[in-house]
Amino acid sequence: MVGNEEIAQRLDTSDEWIRSRTGIAERRVVDPGTSTVDLAVEAGRRALASAGETEADAVVLATSTADQLCPASAPQVATKLGLNGVAAFDVNAVCSGFVYGLGTGAGLIAAGIARRVLVIGADVFTSLIDPEDRGTVPIFGDGAGAVLLRAGDPGELGALGPFDLHSEGELAELLWVEAGGAKNRRSDDPRDHYLVMQGQTVFRHACARMVQSARAVLDSAGWMVGDVDRFIGHQANIRILQTCAKQLGLAEDVMYSNIEKVGNTSAASIPIALADAAKDGALQPGHRVVMGAFGAGLTWGSTLLRWPDVIPG
């Protein structure tokens, strides 16, 4: 655990400044040598145990911090979980990755390709952060979370959908790491290998797009705003979540947040929030839940479900 005071001691900031602008008090950072695959395997193991299963037909890993540029990390995760030979691939939609991963997993099931899909959101996002950047260091943490999707009936608890997924590539430079890929593999400027974020502009786009997307899935499902029991948004910034809830007309107690304790864990934030909400009783079987995310790309999306009777791992 890395608290605000530890960050304040080495950067020009303070606990009050971080809390007032982000809502974050602490975050988790991996030990040296711990990778995204390591986190994903542990999250996947817990999800399988929670579901009472030992098998899955596919693994979808939502991450933007794969252990290597090539190959994808999901096959390694599948092998370490004993899921040899199953379909396994990465989905990189950054902070929207888990919602995109859920859509992908649901699509595999709907197409008859798989009956059980393990969807994992995992990121060691601190590996992309300039340790001297007071604008990003306080925000991001590392983590992983996972769910096991299975084929079922549309009306039962846990059934996902509809989905609403979007992107806007023209705005990629608002939130990106310039170097490291095929276009700019080796930059002499070390800053090119770290995340650059235009915070205020990203804030405005995140609020507008998440609200728009949440309204779209509510309309598609025939739900009214008053029907929603919990809004689980990507845990990027407490003010983004509060603004989204206000613009949607949701009551204050409908919006769930655990960002104070974990920070922004990118693709892992929604599954971690779901697990925490279930553990502390904020999610109950039958609750109508809307999930929404926004991330680099730009990417954003939403989906919804009625919460099943599950015990998180």
mmCIF file of all heavy atoms in Angstrom, residues 125-173:
data_model
loop_
_atom_site.group_PDB
_atom_site.id
_atom_site.type_symbol
_atom_site.label_atom_id
_atom_site.label_comp_id
_atom_site.label_asym_id
_atom_site.label_seq_id
_atom_site.Cartn_x
_atom_site.Cartn_y
_atom_site.Cartn_z
ATOM 1 N N PHE A 125 -0.448 -0.663 -14.014
ATOM 2 C CA PHE A 125 -0.429 0.617 -14.706
ATOM 3 C C PHE A 125 0.658 1.554 -14.190
ATOM 4 O O PHE A 125 1.077 2.480 -14.890
ATOM 5 C CB PHE A 125 -1.802 1.307 -14.602
ATOM 6 C CG PHE A 125 -2.137 2.130 -15.807
ATOM 7 C CD1 PHE A 125 -2.571 1.532 -16.977
ATOM 8 C CD2 PHE A 125 -2.017 3.508 -15.774
ATOM 9 C CE1 PHE A 125 -2.865 2.289 -18.097
ATOM 10 C CE2 PHE A 125 -2.313 4.273 -16.890
ATOM 11 C CZ PHE A 125 -2.736 3.664 -18.056
ATOM 12 N N THR A 126 1.153 1.299 -12.993
ATOM 13 C CA THR A 126 2.240 2.137 -12.483
ATOM 14 C C THR A 126 3.506 1.985 -13.320
ATOM 15 O O THR A 126 4.391 2.843 -13.260
ATOM 16 C CB THR A 126 2.547 1.814 -11.015
ATOM 17 O OG1 THR A 126 2.874 0.425 -10.880
ATOM 18 C CG2 THR A 126 1.349 2.137 -10.131
ATOM 19 N N SER A 127 3.588 0.920 -14.119
ATOM 20 C CA SER A 127 4.746 0.747 -14.996
ATOM 21 C C SER A 127 4.767 1.776 -16.119
ATOM 22 O O SER A 127 5.797 1.962 -16.775
ATOM 23 C CB SER A 127 4.755 -0.663 -15.592
ATOM 24 O OG SER A 127 3.642 -0.872 -16.447
ATOM 25 N N LEU A 128 3.647 2.449 -16.361
ATOM 26 C CA LEU A 128 3.551 3.457 -17.419
ATOM 27 C C LEU A 128 3.627 4.885 -16.884
ATOM 28 O O LEU A 128 3.498 5.838 -17.653
ATOM 29 C CB LEU A 128 2.225 3.299 -18.182
ATOM 30 C CG LEU A 128 1.955 1.947 -18.832
ATOM 31 C CD1 LEU A 128 0.606 1.978 -19.534
ATOM 32 C CD2 LEU A 128 3.066 1.581 -19.803
ATOM 33 N N ILE A 129 3.843 5.024 -15.580
ATOM 34 C CA ILE A 129 3.770 6.341 -14.942
ATOM 35 C C ILE A 129 5.158 6.895 -14.650
ATOM 36 O O ILE A 129 6.003 6.209 -14.067
ATOM 37 C CB ILE A 129 2.954 6.249 -13.634
ATOM 38 C CG1 ILE A 129 1.535 5.743 -13.924
ATOM 39 C CG2 ILE A 129 2.897 7.599 -12.932
ATOM 40 C CD1 ILE A 129 0.765 6.557 -14.922
ATOM 41 N N ASP A 130 5.376 8.139 -15.049
ATOM 42 C CA ASP A 130 6.615 8.854 -14.719
ATOM 43 C C ASP A 130 6.654 9.080 -13.213
ATOM 44 O O ASP A 130 5.778 9.750 -12.656
ATOM 45 C CB ASP A 130 6.625 10.197 -15.461
ATOM 46 C CG ASP A 130 7.887 11.009 -15.199
ATOM 47 O OD1 ASP A 130 8.675 10.650 -14.306
ATOM 48 O OD2 ASP A 130 8.067 12.027 -15.900
ATOM 49 N N PRO A 131 7.643 8.530 -12.506
ATOM 50 C CA PRO A 131 7.676 8.646 -11.048
ATOM 51 C C PRO A 131 7.834 10.077 -10.538
ATOM 52 O O PRO A 131 7.658 10.319 -9.344
ATOM 53 C CB PRO A 131 8.879 7.781 -10.645
ATOM 54 C CG PRO A 131 9.721 7.695 -11.865
ATOM 55 C CD PRO A 131 8.784 7.735 -13.022
ATOM 56 N N GLU A 132 8.138 11.016 -11.446
ATOM 57 C CA GLU A 132 8.289 12.419 -11.045
ATOM 58 C C GLU A 132 7.090 13.266 -11.458
ATOM 59 O O GLU A 132 7.110 14.489 -11.267
ATOM 60 C CB GLU A 132 9.561 12.998 -11.680
ATOM 61 C CG GLU A 132 10.830 12.238 -11.337
ATOM 62 C CD GLU A 132 11.074 12.174 -9.835
ATOM 63 O OE1 GLU A 132 10.815 13.197 -9.146
ATOM 64 O OE2 GLU A 132 11.484 11.105 -9.350
ATOM 65 N N ASP A 133 6.056 12.655 -11.992
ATOM 66 C CA ASP A 133 4.898 13.409 -12.480
ATOM 67 C C ASP A 133 3.818 13.487 -11.403
ATOM 68 O O ASP A 133 3.092 12.520 -11.169
ATOM 69 C CB ASP A 133 4.347 12.746 -13.746
ATOM 70 C CG ASP A 133 3.163 13.496 -14.348
ATOM 71 O OD1 ASP A 133 2.825 14.587 -13.849
ATOM 72 O OD2 ASP A 133 2.574 12.978 -15.316
ATOM 73 N N ARG A 134 3.691 14.648 -10.770
ATOM 74 C CA ARG A 134 2.710 14.791 -9.694
ATOM 75 C C ARG A 134 1.273 14.737 -10.202
ATOM 76 O O ARG A 134 0.337 14.566 -9.417
ATOM 77 C CB ARG A 134 2.934 16.118 -8.946
ATOM 78 C CG ARG A 134 2.602 17.352 -9.746
ATOM 79 C CD ARG A 134 3.057 18.629 -9.036
ATOM 80 N NE ARG A 134 2.315 18.894 -7.825
ATOM 81 C CZ ARG A 134 1.235 19.689 -7.776
ATOM 82 N NH1 ARG A 134 0.751 20.236 -8.867
ATOM 83 N NH2 ARG A 134 0.636 19.926 -6.630
ATOM 84 N N GLY A 135 1.097 14.858 -11.526
ATOM 85 C CA GLY A 135 -0.246 14.804 -12.086
ATOM 86 C C GLY A 135 -0.783 13.392 -12.273
ATOM 87 O O GLY A 135 -1.998 13.201 -12.358
ATOM 88 N N THR A 136 0.114 12.396 -12.344
ATOM 89 C CA THR A 136 -0.338 11.021 -12.563
ATOM 90 C C THR A 136 0.043 10.056 -11.442
ATOM 91 O O THR A 136 -0.693 9.101 -11.182
ATOM 92 C CB THR A 136 0.224 10.472 -13.893
ATOM 93 O OG1 THR A 136 1.660 10.579 -13.888
ATOM 94 C CG2 THR A 136 -0.341 11.237 -15.084
ATOM 95 N N VAL A 137 1.156 10.283 -10.783
ATOM 96 C CA VAL A 137 1.595 9.364 -9.724
ATOM 97 C C VAL A 137 0.520 9.139 -8.659
ATOM 98 O O VAL A 137 0.268 7.995 -8.251
ATOM 99 C CB VAL A 137 2.910 9.850 -9.078
ATOM 100 C CG1 VAL A 137 3.213 9.060 -7.803
ATOM 101 C CG2 VAL A 137 4.071 9.718 -10.055
ATOM 102 N N PRO A 138 -0.165 10.200 -8.173
ATOM 103 C CA PRO A 138 -1.157 9.974 -7.115
ATOM 104 C C PRO A 138 -2.399 9.226 -7.576
ATOM 105 O O PRO A 138 -3.153 8.711 -6.750
ATOM 106 C CB PRO A 138 -1.536 11.399 -6.683
ATOM 107 C CG PRO A 138 -0.445 12.286 -7.186
ATOM 108 C CD PRO A 138 0.029 11.640 -8.447
ATOM 109 N N ILE A 139 -2.635 9.158 -8.866
ATOM 110 C CA ILE A 139 -3.907 8.647 -9.371
ATOM 111 C C ILE A 139 -3.910 7.132 -9.531
ATOM 112 O O ILE A 139 -4.887 6.462 -9.172
ATOM 113 C CB ILE A 139 -4.238 9.308 -10.730
ATOM 114 C CG1 ILE A 139 -4.449 10.807 -10.544
ATOM 115 C CG2 ILE A 139 -5.462 8.654 -11.367
ATOM 116 C CD1 ILE A 139 -4.635 11.556 -11.857
ATOM 117 N N PHE A 140 -2.823 6.577 -10.054
ATOM 118 C CA PHE A 140 -2.879 5.196 -10.541
ATOM 119 C C PHE A 140 -2.319 4.181 -9.551
ATOM 120 O O PHE A 140 -1.364 4.452 -8.824
ATOM 121 C CB PHE A 140 -2.129 5.087 -11.867
ATOM 122 C CG PHE A 140 -2.808 5.827 -12.982
ATOM 123 C CD1 PHE A 140 -2.407 7.114 -13.316
ATOM 124 C CD2 PHE A 140 -3.862 5.255 -13.668
ATOM 125 C CE1 PHE A 140 -3.042 7.815 -14.333
ATOM 126 C CE2 PHE A 140 -4.503 5.945 -14.688
ATOM 127 C CZ PHE A 140 -4.092 7.226 -15.019
ATOM 128 N N GLY A 141 -2.949 3.001 -9.580
ATOM 129 C CA GLY A 141 -2.479 1.860 -8.808
ATOM 130 C C GLY A 141 -2.516 0.619 -9.674
ATOM 131 O O GLY A 141 -2.900 0.664 -10.845
ATOM 132 N N ASP A 142 -2.131 -0.503 -9.104
ATOM 133 C CA ASP A 142 -2.101 -1.779 -9.806
ATOM 134 C C ASP A 142 -3.168 -2.707 -9.232
ATOM 135 O O ASP A 142 -3.501 -2.619 -8.043
ATOM 136 C CB ASP A 142 -0.733 -2.439 -9.664
ATOM 137 C CG ASP A 142 0.403 -1.535 -10.141
ATOM 138 O OD1 ASP A 142 0.196 -0.808 -11.128
ATOM 139 O OD2 ASP A 142 1.482 -1.561 -9.521
ATOM 140 N N GLY A 143 -3.680 -3.601 -10.053
ATOM 141 C CA GLY A 143 -4.681 -4.532 -9.529
ATOM 142 C C GLY A 143 -5.253 -5.428 -10.598
ATOM 143 O O GLY A 143 -4.932 -5.310 -11.786
ATOM 144 N N ALA A 144 -6.127 -6.331 -10.165
ATOM 145 C CA ALA A 144 -6.788 -7.258 -11.082
ATOM 146 C C ALA A 144 -8.095 -7.721 -10.470
ATOM 147 O O ALA A 144 -8.252 -7.799 -9.249
ATOM 148 C CB ALA A 144 -5.897 -8.469 -11.374
ATOM 149 N N GLY A 145 -9.037 -8.039 -11.341
ATOM 150 C CA GLY A 145 -10.320 -8.614 -10.939
ATOM 151 C C GLY A 145 -10.848 -9.449 -12.083
ATOM 152 O O GLY A 145 -10.453 -9.262 -13.240
ATOM 153 N N ALA A 146 -11.752 -10.374 -11.791
ATOM 154 C CA ALA A 146 -12.219 -11.285 -12.832
ATOM 155 C C ALA A 146 -13.626 -11.777 -12.538
ATOM 156 O O ALA A 146 -14.079 -11.788 -11.382
ATOM 157 C CB ALA A 146 -11.271 -12.476 -12.951
ATOM 158 N N VAL A 147 -14.302 -12.207 -13.607
ATOM 159 C CA VAL A 147 -15.604 -12.860 -13.490
ATOM 160 C C VAL A 147 -15.634 -14.041 -14.455
ATOM 161 O O VAL A 147 -14.935 -14.049 -15.475
ATOM 162 C CB VAL A 147 -16.779 -11.906 -13.823
ATOM 163 C CG1 VAL A 147 -16.836 -10.752 -12.845
ATOM 164 C CG2 VAL A 147 -16.686 -11.396 -15.256
ATOM 165 N N LEU A 148 -16.450 -15.034 -14.130
ATOM 166 C CA LEU A 148 -16.678 -16.147 -15.046
ATOM 167 C C LEU A 148 -18.082 -16.013 -15.616
ATOM 168 O O LEU A 148 -19.065 -16.045 -14.871
ATOM 169 C CB LEU A 148 -16.534 -17.487 -14.324
ATOM 170 C CG LEU A 148 -16.709 -18.725 -15.217
ATOM 171 C CD1 LEU A 148 -15.557 -18.839 -16.211
ATOM 172 C CD2 LEU A 148 -16.825 -19.992 -14.375
ATOM 173 N N LEU A 149 -18.163 -15.818 -16.932
ATOM 174 C CA LEU A 149 -19.449 -15.763 -17.618
ATOM 175 C C LEU A 149 -19.828 -17.174 -18.066
ATOM 176 O O LEU A 149 -18.969 -17.966 -18.441
ATOM 177 C CB LEU A 149 -19.367 -14.864 -18.846
ATOM 178 C CG LEU A 149 -18.867 -13.431 -18.642
ATOM 179 C CD1 LEU A 149 -18.913 -12.682 -19.971
ATOM 180 C CD2 LEU A 149 -19.677 -12.710 -17.584
ATOM 181 N N ARG A 150 -21.129 -17.466 -18.061
ATOM 182 C CA ARG A 150 -21.606 -18.756 -18.555
ATOM 183 C C ARG A 150 -22.868 -18.550 -19.377
ATOM 184 O O ARG A 150 -23.568 -17.537 -19.244
ATOM 185 C CB ARG A 150 -21.899 -19.707 -17.399
ATOM 186 C CG ARG A 150 -23.012 -19.235 -16.478
ATOM 187 C CD ARG A 150 -23.519 -20.353 -15.581
ATOM 188 N NE ARG A 150 -24.504 -19.881 -14.625
ATOM 189 C CZ ARG A 150 -25.793 -19.690 -14.898
ATOM 190 N NH1 ARG A 150 -26.251 -19.913 -16.122
ATOM 191 N NH2 ARG A 150 -26.629 -19.276 -13.966
ATOM 192 N N ALA A 151 -23.149 -19.513 -20.235
ATOM 193 C CA ALA A 151 -24.395 -19.480 -20.995
ATOM 194 C C ALA A 151 -25.572 -19.635 -20.041
ATOM 195 O O ALA A 151 -25.496 -20.352 -19.042
ATOM 196 C CB ALA A 151 -24.402 -20.603 -22.030
ATOM 197 N N GLY A 152 -26.660 -18.933 -20.338
ATOM 198 C CA GLY A 152 -27.833 -18.998 -19.474
ATOM 199 C C GLY A 152 -29.050 -18.425 -20.172
ATOM 200 O O GLY A 152 -29.065 -18.262 -21.396
ATOM 201 N N ASP A 153 -30.059 -18.096 -19.384
ATOM 202 C CA ASP A 153 -31.293 -17.537 -19.917
ATOM 203 C C ASP A 153 -31.298 -16.026 -19.769
ATOM 204 O O ASP A 153 -30.822 -15.491 -18.748
ATOM 205 C CB ASP A 153 -32.497 -18.118 -19.175
ATOM 206 C CG ASP A 153 -32.602 -19.629 -19.345
ATOM 207 O OD1 ASP A 153 -32.326 -20.094 -20.463
ATOM 208 O OD2 ASP A 153 -32.943 -20.312 -18.362
ATOM 209 N N PRO A 154 -31.841 -15.299 -20.752
ATOM 210 C CA PRO A 154 -31.819 -13.827 -20.715
ATOM 211 C C PRO A 154 -32.469 -13.221 -19.472
ATOM 212 O O PRO A 154 -32.065 -12.161 -19.025
ATOM 213 C CB PRO A 154 -32.585 -13.431 -21.984
ATOM 214 C CG PRO A 154 -32.447 -14.599 -22.895
ATOM 215 C CD PRO A 154 -32.424 -15.801 -22.006
ATOM 216 N N GLY A 155 -33.449 -13.903 -18.892
ATOM 217 C CA GLY A 155 -34.169 -13.325 -17.770
ATOM 218 C C GLY A 155 -33.589 -13.627 -16.412
ATOM 219 O O GLY A 155 -34.069 -13.093 -15.398
ATOM 220 N N GLU A 156 -32.548 -14.448 -16.336
ATOM 221 C CA GLU A 156 -32.032 -14.826 -15.022
ATOM 222 C C GLU A 156 -31.064 -13.788 -14.469
ATOM 223 O O GLU A 156 -30.509 -12.960 -15.199
ATOM 224 C CB GLU A 156 -31.373 -16.198 -15.085
ATOM 225 C CG GLU A 156 -30.082 -16.265 -15.873
ATOM 226 C CD GLU A 156 -29.474 -17.655 -15.854
ATOM 227 O OE1 GLU A 156 -29.197 -18.169 -14.742
ATOM 228 O OE2 GLU A 156 -29.287 -18.237 -16.931
ATOM 229 N N LEU A 157 -30.872 -13.838 -13.155
ATOM 230 C CA LEU A 157 -29.923 -12.929 -12.520
ATOM 231 C C LEU A 157 -28.539 -13.149 -13.104
ATOM 232 O O LEU A 157 -28.115 -14.282 -13.329
ATOM 233 C CB LEU A 157 -29.884 -13.163 -11.003
ATOM 234 C CG LEU A 157 -31.172 -12.878 -10.219
ATOM 235 C CD1 LEU A 157 -30.922 -13.074 -8.721
ATOM 236 C CD2 LEU A 157 -31.706 -11.489 -10.490
ATOM 237 N N GLY A 158 -27.823 -12.049 -13.335
ATOM 238 C CA GLY A 158 -26.476 -12.133 -13.882
ATOM 239 C C GLY A 158 -26.408 -12.009 -15.386
ATOM 240 O O GLY A 158 -25.309 -11.882 -15.939
ATOM 241 N N ALA A 159 -27.538 -12.045 -16.069
ATOM 242 C CA ALA A 159 -27.532 -11.928 -17.528
ATOM 243 C C ALA A 159 -27.097 -10.520 -17.924
ATOM 244 O O ALA A 159 -27.634 -9.523 -17.442
ATOM 245 C CB ALA A 159 -28.916 -12.227 -18.091
ATOM 246 N N LEU A 160 -26.128 -10.444 -18.806
ATOM 247 C CA LEU A 160 -25.547 -9.165 -19.215
ATOM 248 C C LEU A 160 -26.280 -8.571 -20.414
ATOM 249 O O LEU A 160 -26.800 -9.278 -21.264
ATOM 250 C CB LEU A 160 -24.084 -9.338 -19.600
ATOM 251 C CG LEU A 160 -23.073 -9.521 -18.478
ATOM 252 C CD1 LEU A 160 -21.752 -10.006 -19.055
ATOM 253 C CD2 LEU A 160 -22.874 -8.215 -17.709
ATOM 254 N N GLY A 161 -26.242 -7.256 -20.488
ATOM 255 C CA GLY A 161 -26.690 -6.566 -21.691
ATOM 256 C C GLY A 161 -27.970 -5.795 -21.467
ATOM 257 O O GLY A 161 -28.657 -5.977 -20.464
ATOM 258 N N PRO A 162 -28.213 -4.882 -22.387
ATOM 259 C CA PRO A 162 -27.482 -4.605 -23.631
ATOM 260 C C PRO A 162 -26.121 -3.941 -23.382
ATOM 261 O O PRO A 162 -25.829 -3.538 -22.250
ATOM 262 C CB PRO A 162 -28.416 -3.663 -24.387
ATOM 263 C CG PRO A 162 -29.174 -2.972 -23.296
ATOM 264 C CD PRO A 162 -29.368 -3.993 -22.209
ATOM 265 N N PHE A 163 -25.330 -3.832 -24.467
ATOM 266 C CA PHE A 163 -24.028 -3.173 -24.418
ATOM 267 C C PHE A 163 -24.059 -1.911 -25.277
ATOM 268 O O PHE A 163 -24.790 -1.821 -26.256
ATOM 269 C CB PHE A 163 -22.927 -4.103 -24.942
ATOM 270 C CG PHE A 163 -22.495 -5.156 -23.967
ATOM 271 C CD1 PHE A 163 -23.173 -6.367 -23.886
ATOM 272 C CD2 PHE A 163 -21.416 -4.940 -23.126
ATOM 273 C CE1 PHE A 163 -22.778 -7.345 -23.000
ATOM 274 C CE2 PHE A 163 -21.016 -5.912 -22.231
ATOM 275 C CZ PHE A 163 -21.700 -7.122 -22.163
ATOM 276 N N ASP A 164 -23.217 -0.969 -24.896
ATOM 277 C CA ASP A 164 -23.022 0.259 -25.672
ATOM 278 C C ASP A 164 -21.525 0.548 -25.656
ATOM 279 O O ASP A 164 -20.968 0.870 -24.598
ATOM 280 C CB ASP A 164 -23.808 1.422 -25.048
ATOM 281 C CG ASP A 164 -23.638 2.718 -25.820
ATOM 282 O OD1 ASP A 164 -24.223 2.827 -26.914
ATOM 283 O OD2 ASP A 164 -22.919 3.618 -25.333
ATOM 284 N N LEU A 165 -20.847 0.423 -26.803
ATOM 285 C CA LEU A 165 -19.393 0.569 -26.891
ATOM 286 C C LEU A 165 -19.034 1.567 -27.982
ATOM 287 O O LEU A 165 -19.614 1.527 -29.066
ATOM 288 C CB LEU A 165 -18.727 -0.778 -27.193
ATOM 289 C CG LEU A 165 -19.019 -1.933 -26.229
ATOM 290 C CD1 LEU A 165 -18.408 -3.223 -26.746
ATOM 291 C CD2 LEU A 165 -18.502 -1.616 -24.831
ATOM 292 N N HIS A 166 -18.043 2.440 -27.701
ATOM 293 C CA HIS A 166 -17.667 3.488 -28.655
ATOM 294 C C HIS A 166 -16.173 3.791 -28.576
ATOM 295 O O HIS A 166 -15.488 3.414 -27.617
ATOM 296 C CB HIS A 166 -18.443 4.785 -28.376
ATOM 297 C CG HIS A 166 -19.921 4.643 -28.514
ATOM 298 N ND1 HIS A 166 -20.560 4.694 -29.723
ATOM 299 C CD2 HIS A 166 -20.879 4.444 -27.577
ATOM 300 C CE1 HIS A 166 -21.861 4.538 -29.535
ATOM 301 N NE2 HIS A 166 -22.081 4.380 -28.250
ATOM 302 N N SER A 167 -15.680 4.544 -29.574
ATOM 303 C CA SER A 167 -14.296 5.032 -29.563
ATOM 304 C C SER A 167 -14.197 6.322 -30.364
ATOM 305 O O SER A 167 -15.091 6.642 -31.151
ATOM 306 C CB SER A 167 -13.342 3.984 -30.154
ATOM 307 O OG SER A 167 -13.542 3.850 -31.550
ATOM 308 N N GLU A 168 -13.100 7.038 -30.141
ATOM 309 C CA GLU A 168 -12.812 8.270 -30.884
ATOM 310 C C GLU A 168 -11.307 8.414 -30.999
ATOM 311 O O GLU A 168 -10.639 9.000 -30.147
ATOM 312 C CB GLU A 168 -13.422 9.478 -30.182
ATOM 313 C CG GLU A 168 -13.145 10.820 -30.857
ATOM 314 C CD GLU A 168 -13.491 10.793 -32.344
ATOM 315 O OE1 GLU A 168 -14.658 11.020 -32.680
ATOM 316 O OE2 GLU A 168 -12.570 10.528 -33.145
ATOM 317 N N GLY A 169 -10.731 7.847 -32.092
ATOM 318 C CA GLY A 169 -9.284 7.804 -32.266
ATOM 319 C C GLY A 169 -8.635 9.144 -32.510
ATOM 320 O O GLY A 169 -7.428 9.303 -32.276
ATOM 321 N N GLU A 170 -9.391 10.125 -32.976
ATOM 322 C CA GLU A 170 -8.813 11.443 -33.233
ATOM 323 C C GLU A 170 -8.336 12.118 -31.950
ATOM 324 O O GLU A 170 -7.529 13.046 -32.006
ATOM 325 C CB GLU A 170 -9.834 12.339 -33.939
ATOM 326 C CG GLU A 170 -10.145 11.910 -35.369
ATOM 327 C CD GLU A 170 -11.100 12.863 -36.047
ATOM 328 O OE1 GLU A 170 -11.510 13.853 -35.406
ATOM 329 O OE2 GLU A 170 -11.460 12.614 -37.215
ATOM 330 N N LEU A 171 -8.835 11.645 -30.820
ATOM 331 C CA LEU A 171 -8.479 12.253 -29.535
ATOM 332 C C LEU A 171 -7.493 11.391 -28.751
ATOM 333 O O LEU A 171 -7.354 11.544 -27.544
ATOM 334 C CB LEU A 171 -9.743 12.490 -28.709
ATOM 335 C CG LEU A 171 -10.782 13.408 -29.367
ATOM 336 C CD1 LEU A 171 -12.036 13.506 -28.500
ATOM 337 C CD2 LEU A 171 -10.200 14.800 -29.607
ATOM 338 N N ALA A 172 -6.775 10.516 -29.438
ATOM 339 C CA ALA A 172 -5.866 9.588 -28.764
ATOM 340 C C ALA A 172 -4.808 10.298 -27.929
ATOM 341 O O ALA A 172 -4.419 9.821 -26.865
ATOM 342 C CB ALA A 172 -5.193 8.673 -29.789
ATOM 343 N N GLU A 173 -4.337 11.445 -28.397
ATOM 344 C CA GLU A 173 -3.236 12.113 -27.721
ATOM 345 C C GLU A 173 -3.644 12.776 -26.404
ATOM 346 O O GLU A 173 -2.790 13.294 -25.683
ATOM 347 C CB GLU A 173 -2.606 13.152 -28.646
ATOM 348 C CG GLU A 173 -1.912 12.526 -29.843
ATOM 349 C CD GLU A 173 -1.228 13.543 -30.732
ATOM 350 O OE1 GLU A 173 -0.866 14.621 -30.230
ATOM 351 O OE2 GLU A 173 -1.055 13.269 -31.936
#
